Amino acid sequence: SQVYLNGAFMALEEARISPMDRGFLFADGIYEVVPAYNSVLFRFDEHLERLERSLREVEIRNPHDRQQWQVLCEELIERNGGGNLSVYLQITRGAATKRDHAFPEPPVAATVFMMTSPIAVPAADSPDTASGGKAITRDDTRWARCDIKSISLLPNSLLRQQAVSAGAMEAILLHDGFVTEGSASNVFIVHDGVIVTPPKNHAILGGITRDLIVELCGQHGLPFAEREITEAELRQADEIWITSSTREVVPITQLNEAAVGDGKPGAMWKTVARHYVDFKR
Ligand code: PDD
C-alpha cells in the first residue's frame, strides 16, 4: 500500500524513520483516524478540530493547515484505490539528536505519517441481521488525560488484548466504579428507556462517532441523557453499545459472562443504526 511520510508518498516498504524519533522513544505524538466512504472523508472538520486540539495540548506545532491536510488525505485515498478506507494520521515531535525527556531545543521538524486501511462492513449497515459482540469489564489503568488522542497506547493495547484473550471484542473500562469508555471506543447504554453516555472530560476521548450519535438522538427526538454511568447500571443495562470511527455503532450483547438484555441487539440500537446509515448516505 501507499503511505505518506514527511512530504512524500511512497510504498509502505520504502518508509523509514529514525530510531531517535520521539514517537519511538517516548510515544511523544498524537494521531487521528478518519473514515472515508466511497472515497469521501466523513466528519473531516470534526476530526481535524480534534487533531488541532491534541497538538495544542501537547505543544506540537501543526505542520499543515486544514486545506493541506485534506489534500494529503484525499491524495492518499486515491493512491490506495479509494472506496471505504480509514485514514490513519500520526504526528510526533520529531527526531532529536539525543535522548532527553524535555523537548528538543531548538525544536526539530515534526514527523508526519499517514496510511490507510480498509474498513470492515459495519454492523449498523445491516441492523436486522447483526449479531452483536462480547465485552469484558476492566479497571481503567490509563493516565489522567485520556481526552488527548495520544499515540501512547500501551494500557489500551494491554486491555484490548485481555478482551481478545477472553473472546471479547472490547474491554469496557471502569474508573472508581464509573464507566469511562472502551479501550478504543466510547460507550452508550440504554437504561429505563433512556440512551445514556458519560460526559466529555479528561477521563475519556471525545469521540467523533459519539458526538454524531448524540446529535442524531437530538435530531430524532430519542430519549437521551449525558451523565455518569455506574458499574451497577452497566450490568443492568437493557442495551450496551460501543462507538468508534472504524466500527461505527456496535451492540454489545454479552458483558463478561452475562447476557445484555435478551442477548440480542436491542430495538433502540436498531433505530440508531438506521439513522446512522441514513446520515452516512
Ligand atoms: N480509536 N476512545 C478511545 C480510547 C479511542 O481510541 C477511540 C477511537 C474512541 C472513539 O473515537 P472516534 O469515534 O472519534 O473514532 C474512543 C481509533 C478508532 C483507533 O485508535 O483506532
Side-chain angles (χ1 to χ4, degrees):
S1 64
Q2 287 279 306
V3 302
Y4 172 89
L5 180 64
N6 295 334
F9 293 93
M10 62 195 78
L12 175 59
E13 294 71 31
E14 308 297 317
R16 296 284 178 273
I17 61 160
S18 166
M20 294 304 288
D21 196 280
R22 289 180 61 95
F24 184 65
L25 293 178
F26 296 112
D28 181 0
I30 62 97
Y31 76 109
E32 266 302 321
V33 179
V34 191
Y37 300 109
N38 277 321
S39 308
V40 180
L41 292 159
F42 186 69
R43 302 292 264 187
F44 188 70
D45 282 349
E46 287 81 354
H47 281 279
L48 255 286
E49 209 166 286
R50 186 171 67 187
L51 177 91
E52 288 159 2
R53 179 178 183 278
S54 295
L55 286 171
R56 243 184 352 257
E57 292 296 321
V58 302
E59 297 175 46
I60 295 177
R61 201 183 68 83
N62 192 341
H64 301 300
D65 64 28
R66 250 183 230 197
Q67 179 62 29
Q68 291 170 325
W69 281 119
Q70 186 170 342
V71 168
L72 290 174
C73 287
E74 285 171 352
E75 168 137 21
L76 188 65
I77 289 166
E78 175 131 351
R79 283 171 180 261
N80 283 285
N84 297 340
L85 297 171
S86 66
V87 180
Y88 176 87
L89 210 153
Q90 171 171 326
I91 302 144
T92 76
R93 201 178 308 278
T97 49
K98 61 182 200 300
R99 180 179 177 274
D100 183 350
H101 289 67
F103 301 168
E105 197 47 57
V108 293
T111 301
V112 178
F113 174 64
M114 295 166 60
M115 64 179 167
T116 63
S117 329
I119 302 183
V121 178
D125 278 4
S126 43
D128 289 317
T129 50
S131 52
K134 174 181 172 180
I136 59 171
T137 51
R138 284 294 180 271
D139 250 3
D140 193 340
T141 50
R142 302 172 304 159
W143 71 328
R145 288 303 306 275
C146 294
D147 57 312
I148 301 171
K149 204 160 172 60
S150 153
I151 59 168
S152 174
L153 292 173
L154 183 56
N156 305 63
S157 171
L158 294 172
L159 290 160
R160 174 60 70 82
Q161 184 54 43
Q162 288 186 32
V164 169
S165 299
M169 65 188 301
E170 186 57 300
I172 294 178
L173 309 180
L174 295 158
H175 183 83
D176 290 341
F178 291 95
V179 174
T180 52
E181 59 182 338
S183 72
S185 59
N186 291 109
V187 175
F188 288 73
I189 66 166
V190 177
H191 187 261
D192 287 339
V194 180
I195 300 165
V196 185
T197 199
K200 290 203 277 186
N201 52 37
H202 285 184
I204 69 168
L205 183 76
I208 306 301
T209 318
R210 171 204 181 279
D211 289 352
L212 177 53
I213 304 270
V214 171
E215 227 175 278
L216 291 173
C217 287
Q219 270 176 32
H220 297 278
L222 301 174
F224 169 76
E226 193 175 85
R227 60 163 177 83
E228 298 294 351
I229 298 169
T230 65
E231 180 170 5
E233 286 172 328
L234 179 73
R235 289 182 192 281
Q236 292 152 17
D238 296 316
E239 299 186 24
I240 301 174
W241 317 332
I242 58 169
T243 66
S244 83
S245 293
T246 45
R247 288 172 155 175
E248 302 183 348
V249 52
V250 179
I252 296 300
T253 48
Q254 188 187 338
L255 184 69
N256 299 316
E257 293 320 311
V260 178
D262 62 4
K264 297 196 206 89
M268 200 73 96
W269 175 76
K270 286 184 192 176
T271 301
V272 165
R274 287 199 181 91
H275 291 317
Y276 197 96
V277 170
D278 286 345
F279 184 91
K280 257 199 317 180
R281 286 204 186 101

